[in-house]
Each structure stands twice: as C-alpha cells, then as structure tokens.
C-alpha cells in the first residue's frame, strides 16, 4: 500500500514538473527581506539565556526554473543578525554576518486564470560566516578571528507565500520564511551550545529571460 501511494505521488509530481504552461521557465531575481533571529543559547553550566530578538535585513540574487506548478529556486543571499543579553553580571551583544547559497523547491497552486498564485516550499541553505563581533562587559572580540564561532551553519527553510504574474515577463513573490538551524554555531571547545531560528518576510522581484 505504501509503495503504491509513493508511486502515485511520484507520478503526479512528475506530471506537474513536465506539464506545459504559458509561464516562462527561466527567471532571475532580486531578493529583499526582513527577518528576526532567535539565539537558543545553553551555557556550559546548563543554564539557558534569553537573548533579545532584533529585526535585521537580508538581500541577494537568485535564479528560478518554473515548469508546470513546480518552482526550483537557487539563491545567493547575504544576511546578518544581532542579539543582546543583560543581567546583573553580564552585558553582552553579538553580531554575525553570513553569505548563504540556498536551494528551494516550491509547489504553485493555480486558481483559474487568476494571476495571483499561492506557493508552498521547502529548501536548504548553507551559510558561511563573513564577520562576527561580540561585546562582553565592554570588551570587543572578533569571534570569527578567534574561531569562537564555527565558520558554517546549515539550515532547513520552510516557506509559504504568493506569486503574482503580469502580462509582461515580470513577476513578484512575497513569502514568509522560517529557517531552522541544524548545528551548534559555537566552537566545540567553548563547551556551550547556540542554535538559531530565523523567520521573516522575503520579496523576490523576478524577470524572465
């Protein structure tokens, strides 16, 4: 039964992938967005610290291949985030910047001839640390140079939104994206753990070619 359902699912997906559609197949995009990052920090003592959540911005470029109701996105984005924590003994802030190549696969729902189409997607992004600064009780540390933060961080992207087509070769996608960090960004010698979750709104302005 399971194999039959899997076979049916693969067949339906392949039909959508190779279905004919009047939408152009190849697109380039400018990616813009705003996002909020949560740092999930656990100290070596086992205590969890509640870092602040701050709004930051992201930008980049991308390529999309559209066929039928399936969209394959290849993106290269820059994003940064900052966060602070303060109590009676500690006053610290952290700012990190990343370069992220990412792949995303979406399914587009067609509602008659209406040009606005919902889309759901899932993807993976692999981030490379560009810079990192931490201020702890007034002392500044370059955490990238000190190798206190790992140089890469992988994450799963879950997104939902809409894509608007017009009669020219331009379309606009607006999406809510939720990124789940898969690894501890701290160097293992720190004996502490920090993972990230990021959520925000993304805007893709796309041109067919």
């Amino acid at each position: 039964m399971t194999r039959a359902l899997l076979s049916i699912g693969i067949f339906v997906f392949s039909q959508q992938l190779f279905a004919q559609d009047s939408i152009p197949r190849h697109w380039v995009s400018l990616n813009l967005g705003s996002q909020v990052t949560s740092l999930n920090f656990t100290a070596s003592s086992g205590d969890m610290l509640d870092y602040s959540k701050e709004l930051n911005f992201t930008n980049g470029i991308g390529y999309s291949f559209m066929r039928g109701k399936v969209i394959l996105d290849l993106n290269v984005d820059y994003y940064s985030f900052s966060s602070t924590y303060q109590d009676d003994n500690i006053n610290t802030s952290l700012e990190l910047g990343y370069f992220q190549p990412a792949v995303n696969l979406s399914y587009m729902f067609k509602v008659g001839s209406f040009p606005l189409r919902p889309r759901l997607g899932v993807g993976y992004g692999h981030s490379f640390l560009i810079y990192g600064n931490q201020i702890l009780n007034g002392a500044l540390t370059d955490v990238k140079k000190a190798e206190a933060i790992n140089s890469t961080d992988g994450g799963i992207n879950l997104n939902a939104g809409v894509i608007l087509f017009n009669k020219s070769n331009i379309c606009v996608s607006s999406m809510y994206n939720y990124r789940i960090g898969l690894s501890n960004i701290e160097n293992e010698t720190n004996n502490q753990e920090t993972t990230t979750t990021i959520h925000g709104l993304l805007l893709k302005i796309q041109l067919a070619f």
Side-chain angles (χ1 to χ4, degrees):
M1 182 65 176
T2 302
R3 288 185 178 180
L5 291 175
L6 181 60
S7 298
I8 293 171
I10 293 174
F11 174 77
V12 171
F13 182 83
S14 63
Q15 290 299 303
Q16 295 299 336
L17 181 60
F18 295 106
Q20 296 300 313
D21 199 303
S22 59
I23 295 173
R25 295 181 184 177
H26 304 283
W27 301 76
V28 291
S29 68
L30 174 65
N31 307 330
L32 304 170
S34 60
Q35 57 191 25
V36 174
T37 301
S38 299
L39 286 181
N40 311 305
F41 177 82
T42 304
S44 56
S45 62
D47 295 329
M48 299 183 67
L49 303 185
D50 186 18
Y51 273 77
S52 67
K53 301 176 179 62
E54 300 179 10
L55 181 67
N56 292 276
F57 299 94
T58 178
N59 57 77
I61 57 175
Y63 163 79
S64 298
F65 177 78
M66 301 185 189
R67 189 76 181 266
K69 297 179 182 178
V70 175
I71 306 172
L72 176 65
D73 292 313
L74 302 176
N75 299 305
V76 177
D77 295 309
Y78 164 80
Y79 71 91
S80 64
F81 65 81
S82 55
S83 190
T84 60
Y85 175 81
Q86 184 174 0
D87 63 17
D88 293 337
N89 301 310
I90 299 175
N91 185 351
T92 182
S93 64
L94 179 67
E95 183 178 5
L96 303 176
Y98 286 94
F99 161 79
Q100 178 183 242
V103 59
N104 199 78
L105 187 65
S106 299
Y107 186 86
M108 180 170 53
F109 299 87
K110 187 175 181 179
V111 185
S113 59
F114 195 58
L116 188 66
R117 303 184 182 184
R119 60 180 290 179
L120 291 174
V122 61
Y124 174 80
H126 200 77
S127 301
F128 296 87
L129 184 65
I130 300 174
Y131 69 87
N133 295 307
Q134 182 180 31
I135 299 176
L136 176 60
N137 294 333
L140 174 65
T141 300
D142 183 335
V143 293
K144 183 180 188 307
K145 185 177 181 179
E147 299 183 348
I149 298 293
N150 290 326
S151 59
T152 63
D153 178 36
I156 296 294
N157 291 305
L158 305 174
N159 42 75
V162 293
I163 181 167
L164 176 65
F165 294 94
N166 64 13
K167 293 182 179 180
S168 63
N169 290 340
I170 298 175
C171 72
V172 177
S173 289
S174 178
M175 295 183 293
Y176 171 81
N177 188 71
Y178 187 81
R179 184 184 190 275
I180 305 168
L182 299 178
S183 59
N184 178 16
I185 65 172
E186 299 263 2
N187 189 303
E188 61 182 11
T189 60
N190 295 345
N191 296 319
Q192 55 194 21
E193 182 177 357
T194 302
T195 58
T196 62
T197 53
I198 302 173
H199 63 96
L201 296 176
L202 301 177
L203 182 69
K204 294 173 70 72
I205 304 171
Q206 299 177 266
L207 176 66
F209 66 94

